[in-house]
């Protein structure tokens, strides 16, 4: 069955880079996503990557995909206190199919 | 992208009662999804709500416990019936707006339910 694993907690200092890791088991995963959930809020889509890509960069965010190892990472450059949130990795195997989420990584950014 | 309004944002309910959660979207969407996020856990899909047909439930979720309505293309409700403390969770609705494809999953802000 499908399974998405993430480390549960990451603490960094403001200005440092943060790297959040995710592994998945379904080799047919086609689309992979990173969502951000701030306290009391819903999920905000940060970025996504197709399985035929190795890397995607969007401003301070860099997504790396190692399809062979089924490993996905999200790098946040120059991390700010406003980046403190829970980050969820999610995957889906086809368009419009449902998402499978990891348990989320809580990122704490200290001044 | 679509804007989703979810109500109530939070509630504290007595065990044995039921709560209906509303999800209103500012555009017409074909598919709406209901998720549950238990404390410290990931999001789990409860069901897919399709307009004009019965909702499709995932393994472990049944219609008697989580009845869903989808009267039109912009609105859906999820009822949590005969609640117990184990139902304390955040419930979120999600849609894929038209033209957004697979990179458009949009979520409501969630309903934080506490059952006492």
């Amino acid at each position: 069955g499908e399974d998405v694993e993430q480390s549960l907690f990451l603490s960094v200092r403001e200005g440092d880079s943060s790297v959040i890791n995710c592994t998945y088991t379904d080799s047919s995963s086609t689309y992979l996503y990173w969502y951000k959930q701030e306290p009391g809020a819903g999920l905000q889509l940060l970025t996504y990557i197709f399985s035929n890509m190795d890397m995607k960069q969007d401003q301070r965010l860099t997504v790396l995909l190692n399809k062979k190892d089924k490993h996905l990472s999200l790098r946040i450059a120059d991390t700010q206190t406003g980046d403190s949130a829970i980050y969820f990795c999610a995957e889906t195997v086809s368009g419009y199919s449902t998402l499978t989420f990891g348990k989320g990584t809580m990122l704490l950014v200290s001044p | 992208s679509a804007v989703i309004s979810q109500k109530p944002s939070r509630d504290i309910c007595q065990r044995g009662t039921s709560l209906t959660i509303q999800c209103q979207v500012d555009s017409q969407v074909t598919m709406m999804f209901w998720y549950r996020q238990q404390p410290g856990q990931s999001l789990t899909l409860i069901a897919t709500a399709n307009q004009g047909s019965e909702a499709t439930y995932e393994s472990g979720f049944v219609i008697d416990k989580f009845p869903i309505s989808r009267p039109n293309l912009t609105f859906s409700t999820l009822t949590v019936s005969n609640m117990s403390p184990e139902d304390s969770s955040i419930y979120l609705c999600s849609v894929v707006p038209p033209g957004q494809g697979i990179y458009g999953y949009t979520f409501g802000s969630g309903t934080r339910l506490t059952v006492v």
Side-chain angles (χ1 to χ4, degrees), chain A residues 31 33 35 37 39-43 45 48 50 86 88 92 94-99 101-104, chain B residues 31 33 35 37 40-43 45 48 90 92 96 99-105 107-110 112:
Chain A
Y31 311 102
Y33 306 84
Y35 282 87
Q37 185 179 37
L43 272 71
L45 178 63
Y48 60 92
F50 299 135
I86 300 176
F88 289 93
T92 185
S94 66
Y96 295 98
S97 69
T98 56
L99 296 169
F101 285 87
K103 290 188 176 182
Chain B
M31 298 171 76
F33 307 93
Y35 286 85
Q37 184 182 16
Q41 299 295 315
S42 175
L43 280 77
L45 180 67
T48 303
I90 300 173
L92 300 106
V96 178
Q100 292 294 310
I102 46 80
Y103 29 80
Y105 289 95
F107 284 81
S109 56
R112 186 179 297 270

Side-chain angles (χ1 to χ4, degrees), chain B residues 3-57:
Chain B
V3 176
I4 299 175
S5 173
Q6 197 172 328
K7 295 179 180 179
S9 59
R10 60 178 62 231
D11 207 343
I12 300 173
C13 300
Q14 296 289 325
R15 67 178 67 199
T17 62
S18 298
L19 176 72
T20 296
I21 302 167
Q22 300 180 0
C23 181
Q24 178 75 53
V25 190
D26 68 347
S27 56
Q28 294 186 337
V29 296
T30 303
M31 298 171 76
M32 297 178 76
F33 307 93
W34 286 99
Y35 286 85
R36 181 176 73 180
Q37 184 182 16
Q38 293 177 299
Q41 299 295 315
S42 175
L43 280 77
T44 302
L45 180 67
I46 298 171
T48 303
N50 302 312
Q51 197 270 336
S53 63
E54 291 218 347
T56 305
Y57 289 83

Side-chain angles (χ1 to χ4, degrees), chain A residues 6-107:
Chain A
Q6 296 180 241
S7 52
L8 295 182
F9 185 76
L10 176 65
S11 179
V12 301
R13 289 196 176 274
E14 193 172 23
D16 289 348
S17 292
S18 307
V19 179
I20 302 171
N21 295 300
C22 170
T23 58
Y24 59 98
T25 58
D26 193 336
S27 58
S28 59
S29 295
T30 309
Y31 311 102
L32 297 123
Y33 306 84
W34 284 103
Y35 282 87
K36 176 183 180 183
Q37 185 179 37
E38 297 182 76
L43 272 71
Q44 172 195 356
L45 178 63
L46 285 179
T47 187
Y48 60 92
I49 189 169
F50 299 135
S51 60
N52 61 357
M53 300 168 65
D54 298 324
M55 186 185 84
K56 180 179 180 181
Q57 187 153 1
D58 184 1
Q59 299 182 345
R60 292 192 296 124
L61 305 178
T62 302
V63 179
L64 296 178
L65 175 61
N66 182 328
K67 195 174 181 182
K68 174 176 173 288
D69 295 338
K70 300 188 184 68
H71 183 265
L72 181 75
S73 68
L74 173 69
R75 179 177 180 269
I76 305 173
D78 187 26
T79 313
Q80 303 297 308
T81 54
D83 294 324
S84 293
I86 300 176
Y87 290 80
F88 289 93
C89 168
E91 60 90 19
T92 185
V93 299
S94 66
Y96 295 98
S97 69
T98 56
L99 296 169
T100 299
F101 285 87
K103 290 188 176 182
T105 299
M106 178 176 290
L107 173 65

